[in-house]
Amino acid sequence: NPFYATQVWLMKGQCRGGEDCPSAHLTDVDPNAWYHLAVDYCVENGIMEGIGGDFFGTDLDTNRAQLVTMLWRQMGCPEPEMQAPFSDVPADSFYDKAVSWAYEYGIVNGVFETEFNPDGKLTREQFAAILYRYADYVLWADVSARADLSTYADGDEISAYAQDAMSWAVAVGLLEGLPAGE
């Protein structure tokens, strides 16, 4: 299970930076930051490389193509058996095979029938829906846990497609509300 492997790796981590650190070459990764061990794991395991040169992009938003590519790499970069029907996913892009694989497995849908919107900012709803489907369809994990979203001020604003996914993501601790109760 890739999630279990990630948790085991992170628990053993004691990196304090330095030349043996997998992310030492990335100038924007603070060895004392909360995300440091997660970045080390992703770099060491080929899940993420950064966005160019010595820059990881720790303060940048994640887009739809990036999340799908991370999941695809976590699974060992399996070769998709079909091409996704999205006109905005170029065949030579870093995410082409990842999007096709994720579409094939039912992990992603387009924002429209022929549009994926790879550079679109990943919303919390999309994040939850993609991880929910990945856990269910690829990892065969139990996705039956549910949290009561009515306790959040904006709980009634969650899109219909994301209701189960958001409830699951909150129940298993992947997402938390904001301090304002949203």
Side-chain angles (χ1 to χ4, degrees):
N1 179 329
F3 284 144
Y4 177 73
T6 304
Q7 291 170 336
V8 169
W9 192 93
L10 291 174
M11 287 189 314
K12 77 173 180 93
Q14 298 295 321
C15 184
R16 305 254 191 279
E19 64 186 52
D20 292 335
C21 174
S23 62
H25 67 289
L26 300 167
T27 59
D28 63 334
V29 176
D30 178 354
N32 298 310
W34 63 269
Y35 56 76
H36 178 213
L37 290 178
V39 171
D40 283 354
Y41 174 85
C42 289
V43 169
E44 187 167 82
N45 291 283
I47 296 168
M48 299 172 79
E49 302 164 357
I51 60 171
D54 59 356
F55 193 65
F56 190 78
T58 56
D59 292 328
L60 300 177
D61 292 329
T62 300
N63 65 39
R64 292 168 50 82
Q66 290 168 329
L67 176 60
V68 170
T69 300
M70 287 182 259
L71 297 175
W72 176 69
R73 288 177 179 168
Q74 178 79 14
M75 295 306 297
C77 303
E79 194 66 34
E81 294 184 19
M82 62 181 289
Q83 182 69 34
F86 306 125
S87 60
D88 59 350
V89 177
D92 60 348
S93 63
F94 74 87
Y95 51 84
D96 170 47
K97 289 183 179 184
V99 172
S100 291
W101 167 81
Y103 179 79
E104 180 180 324
Y105 277 86
I107 299 166
V108 296
N109 300 309
V111 294
F112 297 107
E113 191 172 313
T114 60
E115 212 175 296
F116 180 69
N117 192 18
D119 295 324
K121 181 180 174 181
L122 187 68
T123 67
R124 291 169 63 90
E125 287 184 350
Q126 291 169 352
F127 174 78
I130 290 169
L131 289 183
Y132 177 79
R133 293 182 202 128
Y134 174 73
D136 190 20
Y137 304 154
V138 176
L139 301 179
W140 299 345
D142 178 5
V143 293
S144 63
R146 294 291 183 269
D148 180 7
L149 300 178
S150 68
T151 61
Y152 296 96
D154 59 353
D156 61 340
E157 297 174 26
I158 298 169
S159 301
Y161 83 88
Q163 287 284 332
D164 285 342
M166 288 291 285
S167 179
W168 168 79
V170 171
V172 299
L174 290 175
L175 292 176
E176 296 178 356
L178 300 174
E182 300 178 314

